[in-house]
Amino acid sequence: MLTIYGVYLSRASRVYWTAEELGLPFKSVKVTQARYLKDPFAEDAPFNTRSSDFLAVNPSAQIPAIDDDGLVLTESLAITMYLAKKHGGPLAPANIAEEGQMLQWTLWAATELEPQTVQIVLVHDAGQEMSEGGRKTIAVASRMLKMPLSVLELHLAGRDFLVGDRFTVADLNVAEVMRYAMGEPKLFEDKPHIRAWYENCQKRPAFEKMMAGRRAEAAALSVTE
């Protein structure tokens, strides 16, 4: 069975969404990020990214990771691509050309979008979006996103999805990276094609199952805090 190490409130969300899209049974092992713990090495610390048993899975001390019948993978976007190709169906590339296109968009998201979108979500997560420093960070990230978002908007003109005529792992990967920036709706005011595409991605039942996991974790955190 597929084992997913992580929490829903992390980049593991991409892997959980992929597993739900593919209808895969999986075991979820909760691994707390060590940076959120006062002392991740304490005897009573929850299983976390600095726990010795997890470091045996991923020495980089990062989530997510998977163990798929003995195959261990540790990079979220590589994991989603692997699962899609292994299990096939509409999520996966139908030929080598589509595989190249899906890799292109996935790597594009990681290099052109995520360095900036993650800056935006970190400001919002810290509740600093109205502070002077927070606004400066968001302004810089937004400026850096102007060209890549224009590229994506142009590509989506006249099509519903990134590759082929169906929702694929490329859409999932890019949408998950894009989600970090959705706290700044002004970025998308003149991007109707991106907005429509993104809304379609989030209407999927598998996405909602993943988001239910995120909401449950967030609710549990608010109780413990």
Side-chain angles (χ1 to χ4, degrees):
M1 178 179 286
L2 172 67
T3 299
I4 302 173
Y5 294 88
V7 290
Y8 282 83
L9 292 171
S10 73
R11 286 181 175 88
S13 60
R14 305 163 183 179
V15 181
Y16 290 118
W17 183 4
T18 303
E20 295 290 357
E21 286 284 352
L22 293 168
L24 302 179
F26 62 87
K27 175 184 177 182
S28 181
V29 176
K30 183 177 180 180
V31 184
T32 301
Q33 294 102 315
R35 67 179 180 272
Y36 295 133
L37 301 175
K38 183 176 181 180
D39 182 3
F41 302 104
E43 289 187 6
D44 60 348
F47 191 55
N48 65 81
T49 51
R50 289 292 178 177
S51 299
S52 58
D53 286 349
F54 180 70
L55 291 174
V57 176
N58 184 8
S60 295
Q62 299 288 336
I63 53 174
I66 66 165
D67 185 330
D68 187 30
D69 293 327
L71 174 66
V72 175
L73 293 174
T74 61
E75 291 293 330
S76 61
L77 297 175
I79 292 169
T80 61
M81 293 292 296
Y82 160 77
L83 290 175
K85 188 167 183 182
K86 176 181 178 180
H87 296 281
L91 206 67
N95 50 52
I96 191 65
E98 284 196 352
E99 183 172 3
Q101 291 173 318
M102 291 180 193
L103 282 169
Q104 170 189 290
W105 283 111
T106 295
L107 293 173
W108 176 84
T111 59
E112 298 296 319
L113 292 184
E114 191 160 30
Q116 310 308 325
T117 62
V118 76
Q119 293 300 314
I120 293 173
V121 78
L122 287 174
V123 169
H124 280 270
D125 285 351
Q128 298 296 313
E129 62 271 19
M130 299 308 294
S131 70
E132 182 179 356
R135 294 314 302 171
K136 285 182 178 179
T137 298
I138 290 172
V140 172
S142 298
R143 186 166 62 250
M144 297 295 289
L145 284 169
K146 186 175 181 180
M147 179 176 290
L149 289 180
S150 295
V151 169
L152 182 60
E153 176 71 8
L154 180 62
H155 180 76
L156 287 170
R159 54 168 61 90
D160 294 326
F161 302 105
L162 293 175
V163 178
D165 57 357
R166 67 196 188 282
F167 178 86
T168 71
V169 69
D171 298 287
L172 187 155
N173 287 340
V174 177
E176 275 294 273
V177 172
M178 188 76 72
R179 184 161 55 81
Y180 293 152
M182 300 313 288
E184 292 297 315
K186 287 185 178 180
L187 281 170
F188 307 99
E189 286 180 345
D190 61 344
K191 302 290 186 295
H193 301 302
I194 292 179
R195 292 201 310 270
W197 162 81
Y198 186 76
E199 289 171 6
N200 284 335
C201 290
Q202 293 207 331
K203 287 178 181 177
R204 300 183 66 81
F207 173 83
E208 181 50 40
K209 286 184 179 180
M210 179 273 286
M211 287 300 293
R214 289 178 62 88
R215 289 191 292 269
E217 285 186 356
L221 284 172
S222 66
V223 169
T224 56
E225 293 173 352

